[in-house]
Every structure is written in C-alpha cells, then in structure tokens.
C-alpha cells in the first residue's frame, strides 16, 4: 500500500530524471600521456622557431644598417682623402713656385 501511494504521488518524470545521470568527460581525459607530451613539445618547438626567425630577421636588418653605415663612412673617408691629396698637391706646387721664385730672386 505504501508503494502504491508513493508511485501515484510522484510523477514518473521526476523519478526518471533523478535516476539517470549524465557522464561527462573532458577532452584531456581522452589523451594519453604520450600525446600530451607530443603536443606540448610541438607547441614549444613552434614558439622557439618563431622566436629564432624574429631574431634572424633583426640580425639581417642590423647587418644591412651596418653595411650602409660602413659604406657611408668609406665614402666620407674617400672624400676626405681626396681633399687631403688636393691640399697636399696645392702645398707642393706652392712650395715649388716659392723655390723657383727664390732662385730667380737670388740670381
């Protein structure tokens, strides 16, 4: 009698809902340790590769700038050298003229 009273007092849906229980598993539970290690190693490898690529690019840019500066410095050095040669030639010719003038005046 007690059974019949409970079964008629409780609707069937609530009884079924309390009895069934859904199981939920996370995706990490499906992965093995080996798969997790492989995935982590792959991620680290990609990050390292990206970092190295950025470093190489920065090195290339620095090399280009250094070559540009060196080229500019060489051009300035060449200009200065040429100007010094011209001044030396002018001084030499001035000295020759002074020597010739002195010889003419002494005679």
């Amino acid at each position: 009698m007690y059974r019949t009273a409970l079964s008629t007092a409780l609707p069937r849906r609530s009884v079924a809902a309390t009895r069934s229980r859904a199981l939920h598993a996370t995706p990490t539970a499906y992965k093995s340790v080996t798969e997790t290690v492989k995935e982590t190693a792959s991620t680290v490898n990609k990050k390292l590769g990206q970092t190295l690529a950025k470093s190489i690019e920065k090195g290339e840019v620095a090399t280009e700038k250094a070559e540009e500066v060196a080229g500019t410095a060489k051009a300035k050095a060449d200009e200065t050298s040429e100007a010094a040669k011209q001044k030396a030639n002018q001084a030499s010719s001035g000295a020759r003229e002074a020597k010739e003038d002195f010889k003419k005046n002494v005679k």
Side-chain angles (χ1 to χ4, degrees), residues 1 5-6 10 14 18-19 27-28 32 46 48 52 60 65-66 68-70 84 86 95 99:
M1 174 146 155
L6 275 178
L10 293 174
S14 65
T18 57
R19 288 184 186 166
T28 56
S32 69
K46 287 178 185 175
L48 181 64
L52 290 175
E60 289 173 349
K65 286 183 180 179
E68 183 179 315
V69 168
Q86 288 176 357
K99 180 181 174 184

Side-chain angles (χ1 to χ4, degrees), residues 3-106:
R3 272 190 195 171
T4 56
L6 275 178
S7 64
T8 56
L10 293 174
R12 290 274 178 196
R13 284 187 189 164
S14 65
V15 173
T18 57
R19 288 184 186 166
S20 69
R21 187 171 170 189
L23 293 176
H24 184 286
T26 61
T28 56
Y30 294 123
K31 294 180 184 177
S32 69
V33 174
T34 306
E35 291 171 338
T36 306
V37 169
K38 284 181 183 178
E39 189 175 291
T40 303
S42 175
T43 303
V44 169
N45 189 23
K46 287 178 185 175
K47 295 283 184 179
L48 181 64
Q50 290 171 351
T51 303
L52 290 175
K54 288 178 185 177
S55 298
I56 290 171
E57 288 174 4
K58 286 181 182 179
E60 289 173 349
V61 169
T63 301
E64 289 174 4
K65 286 183 180 179
E67 289 174 351
E68 183 179 315
V69 168
T72 305
K74 184 177 185 243
K76 286 182 181 179
D78 289 343
E79 287 177 18
T80 305
S81 174
E82 190 63 35
K85 284 180 186 178
Q86 288 176 357
K87 287 184 180 184
N89 286 338
Q90 287 174 353
S92 175
S93 66
R96 274 189 226 125
E97 288 177 12
K99 180 181 174 184
E100 289 174 8
D101 288 344
F102 180 74
K103 282 184 183 179
K104 286 181 185 176
N105 288 337
V106 172

